[in-house]
Amino acid sequence: MGHADSQRPMEPAATDERTRASAASADLLANLSAELDPLLVRMRELHLGESAVAAVFDANRGANE
Amino acid sequence: VNSELDILTAGIALRSGELSAMELTRACLTRIDEVDAAVNAFVDVYAEEAMAAARQAQEEIARGLDRGPLHGIPIAVKDLFDVAGHVTAAGSQSRADALPSAEDAHSVGLLRKGGAVIVGKTHTHEFAFGSTTPQTRNPWDLDRVPGGSSGGSAAALALDTCLMALGTDTAGSIRMPAALCGVVGMKPTYGRVSKSGIVPLSWSLDHAGPLARYVGDAAAALQVMAGHDAKDVGSHQSPVPDYLGRLGDGVEGLTVAVPTNHFSENLSPAMRAAHQESLAVLEGLGAMVMPVELPLAAAYMGATFAIMMAEASAYHRDRLVTHGELYTEDVRTLLEAGLRMPAVDYVDAQRARGLFQAEWHDVLSRADVVVVPTLPTSAALADSSVLQITDSHAESIMNSYVRLSCPANLTGLPALSVPCGVDAHGLPLGLQIIGRPFDEATVLQVGAAFEQATAWHRLRPPSPQTYRRSALR
């Protein structure tokens, strides 16, 4: 069971506001995706071969801190 | 503040007693009072603290103590760096309730130890995640953006309110606002300047560095800021060379590589002409220009965004839950998109960086520097998200303001932007000089030679009276 307040319906004005905000946010995300997706596609076309992430694990790090 | 007064000349005047640190600091504070209301470069001005620091510097200089080239020099700090006793808001309402910083960021501490006088903090695009700095206007045209994310620092310098300002650069955030505001911006090699005490955007792409009005000023600031810091895991141990000693050495015999792809595509006519004229200047000074190709360039932008968005979203994930409604919509959208970035894309982007580094290493094994435009065009109108770059090519600000600067972040190479012209609206354009790892000295040497041979760095925005009238419109 949720808290009593969580069961209370939202005020109509607040609902409209949130719906508008949510729609605007969805639009922004869609626009961003439309711009980013082709860039990511071009990156994925790169032949990475045997290249690896240049990670260095230092087992001593933190031991003396 | 005299527009012509560079840091080294000011230092000579301070040491000879011709000028005092208090006079210089007071002049900067007066200038801020006169012009900042219209442009809003500063978040906060530390007038009393600055005058106290200036008094101390003046007393030290009078008794023969010399803390180096920034002793008694007024500087500003981007509001992403910790300054002891002050809040680092990072341009975000979500940090409005943050406690004042207990200590300086490492680079701020070095500058303070070097006798620099901090006059205040400058605006950043929220969390450095954007290229417009909407709080601030471009001093050259108040209807236009100063660039970002270090937009406040660039605007502050263009207005002569300080002699140097700190910035950070994840995909161009030092060089881009410097170019748009007609000043100098230096992104050092990754690991050259510590990032401890700076709010991160993207750990593996972030750099800290100076913006200044002249190349020599940027060199002087870097001399003080550079060095190893155990608190920054990316900090490099190599010794810091002399950045000032080679500034007058010219470019005779140096080889300048100029890519025939990527950096030459979709430039405004003014930027294309300014780039060509700049290359002719360098050739006239004795440099050899060599065309090169960068076969992997099509992947630069995808790799940049895959890394930047994933790392930024990892840093902000918890805060988005607790303070999400306090973020601006554009930054929150980028961070939410970053939460959905496939892990495989992030890993592949990091793998790709090794290939990009090899590609640039090959070019820089045959050339001393690469010289390209900093940006495809000049400052955008503040109410626009799209730039009309040529008659037939329009592009989003997000894309166009990043594509030419991000390669130096992916590779970690040092890169400098210097003023190189103006467009038909009289707006500044920037020339980018990219060098070998940890060879900032050659990059600065080329920048200084170009500066000495041209007059673009002497141009200044309209007068303060014009600002005041504009502010009242």
Side-chain angles (χ1 to χ4, degrees):
Chain A
M1 292 293 286
H3 188 273
D5 279 353
S6 68
Q7 305 295 316
R8 192 165 55 200
M10 274 193 288
E11 295 293 323
T15 309
D16 289 350
E17 181 93 355
R18 286 180 196 192
T19 304
R20 271 197 300 274
S22 171
S25 182
D27 282 350
L28 277 172
L29 264 176
N31 290 340
L32 183 62
S33 295
E35 187 147 20
L36 285 177
D37 288 351
L39 301 176
L40 292 173
V41 166
R42 286 205 284 276
M43 183 194 76
R44 291 175 193 138
E45 287 169 353
L46 205 60
H47 293 291
L48 291 168
E50 296 299 311
S51 61
V53 174
V56 177
F57 176 72
D58 178 358
N60 284 318
R61 193 196 296 170
N64 300 315
E65 291 173 2
Chain B
V1 182
N2 183 344
S3 291
E4 304 281 317
L5 185 66
D6 63 79
I7 287 176
L8 300 179
T9 306
I12 293 167
L14 289 171
R15 284 161 184 78
S16 71
E18 186 188 336
L19 176 69
S20 80
M22 291 181 74
E23 285 171 339
L24 185 55
T25 301
R26 194 177 293 114
C28 287
L29 294 170
T30 301
R31 180 74 174 162
I32 292 170
D33 275 347
E34 285 174 358
V35 300
D36 193 55
V39 175
N40 199 32
F42 283 86
V43 180
D44 203 358
V45 178
Y46 308 145
E48 280 185 28
E49 285 175 49
M51 288 308 295
R55 185 178 299 112
Q56 183 185 334
Q58 190 172 315
E59 288 167 2
E60 288 173 348
I61 291 168
R63 64 170 192 268
L65 176 62
D66 192 338
R67 293 183 180 273
L70 264 63
H71 201 174
I73 300 296
I75 67 165
V77 178
K78 182 181 184 178
D79 188 23
L80 211 61
F81 293 71
D82 285 348
V83 172
H86 296 281
V87 170
T88 305
S92 182
Q93 283 296 314
S94 75
R95 283 183 63 102
D97 59 354
L99 294 172
S101 304
E103 56 186 43
D104 288 333
H106 186 262
S107 50
V108 173
L110 288 176
L111 290 164
R112 206 194 287 274
K113 194 176 162 195
V117 174
I118 299 169
V119 295
K121 270 195 164 180
T122 53
H123 281 292
T124 171
H125 199 113
E126 186 177 30
F127 286 112
F129 209 172
S131 47
T132 57
T133 320
Q135 312 93 312
T136 302
R137 290 303 172 100
N138 191 313
W140 293 80
D141 179 345
L142 299 179
D143 292 330
R144 294 179 187 269
V145 300
S149 61
S150 311
S153 289
L157 286 160
L159 292 171
D160 299 318
T161 58
C162 55
L163 278 70
M164 192 281 283
L166 283 176
T168 58
D169 190 318
T170 304
S173 287
I174 287 174
R175 292 158 287 157
M176 178 240 294
L180 297 179
C181 292
V183 298
V184 170
M186 174 82 212
K187 182 199 82 63
T189 310
Y190 189 84
R192 184 74 290 178
V193 171
S194 169
K195 296 180 292 179
S196 67
I198 304 172
V199 176
L201 170 57
S202 172
W203 298 282
S204 71
L205 294 171
D206 290 344
H207 300 65
L211 292 91
R213 299 179 303 167
Y214 305 106
V215 173
D217 293 359
L222 185 61
Q223 197 73 62
V224 177
M225 294 166 65
H228 179 251
D229 173 20
K231 283 186 181 173
D232 175 358
V233 292
S235 184
H236 205 271
Q237 303 244 16
S238 63
V240 177
D242 177 11
Y243 298 127
L244 295 165
R246 283 172 46 196
L247 288 177
D249 284 2
V251 295
E252 177 89 47
L254 295 187
T255 301
V256 171
V258 181
T260 53
N261 64 323
H262 188 73
F263 290 98
S264 56
E265 293 156 12
N266 294 320
L267 305 179
S268 73
M271 186 64 247
R272 189 177 296 284
H275 182 227
Q276 290 304 315
E277 285 162 19
S278 301
L279 294 175
V281 167
L282 293 172
E283 276 190 300
L285 294 171
M288 290 171 289
V289 172
M290 178 180 78
V292 294
E293 202 188 343
L294 297 164
L296 306 180
Y300 293 162
M301 284 288 279
T304 298
F305 278 99
I307 294 167
M308 184 164 57
M309 292 172 66
E311 292 186 357
S313 299
Y315 177 76
H316 285 277
R317 178 157 57 177
D318 292 346
R319 182 172 287 271
L320 271 178
V321 173
T322 56
H323 293 74
E325 76 284 358
L326 295 176
Y327 284 65
T328 56
E329 200 157 30
D330 62 329
V331 171
R332 191 174 61 240
T333 302
L334 281 164
L335 292 170
E336 285 173 355
L339 291 173
R340 302 170 196 186
M341 181 66 67
V344 175
D345 280 337
Y346 174 75
V347 170
D348 277 353
Q350 291 288 11
R351 294 171 72 200
R353 291 177 80 173
L355 302 184
F356 301 150
Q357 284 178 310
E359 178 184 53
W360 280 76
H361 178 81
D362 175 55
V363 168
L364 287 165
S365 67
R366 293 175 282 134
D368 296 283
V369 289
V370 176
V371 175
V372 293
T374 306
L375 295 166
T377 188
S378 59
L381 289 166
D383 57 1
S384 173
S385 60
V386 175
L387 274 162
Q388 190 71 39
I389 294 175
T390 66
D391 288 345
S392 59
H393 181 76
E395 193 176 334
S396 74
I397 290 176
M398 185 179 87
N399 199 74
S400 60
Y401 278 1
V402 170
R403 64 178 155 94
L404 305 187
S405 48
C406 71
N409 298 83
L410 288 166
T411 55
L413 296 172
L416 173 75
S417 181
V418 293
C420 72
V422 292
D423 70 1
H425 301 288
L427 298 169
L429 301 165
L431 183 73
Q432 189 177 192
I433 302 159
I434 305 172
R436 296 171 183 148
F438 298 99
D439 190 15
E440 284 82 0
T442 300
V443 170
L444 291 161
Q445 177 186 335
V446 174
F450 179 80
E451 185 179 81
Q452 200 169 15
T454 57
W456 302 115
H457 59 290
R458 296 195 191 283
L459 295 181
R460 283 292 178 274
S463 70
Q465 286 73 23
T466 310
Y467 300 137
R468 278 200 282 274
R469 279 203 299 278
S470 300
L472 294 172
R473 276 198 306 227

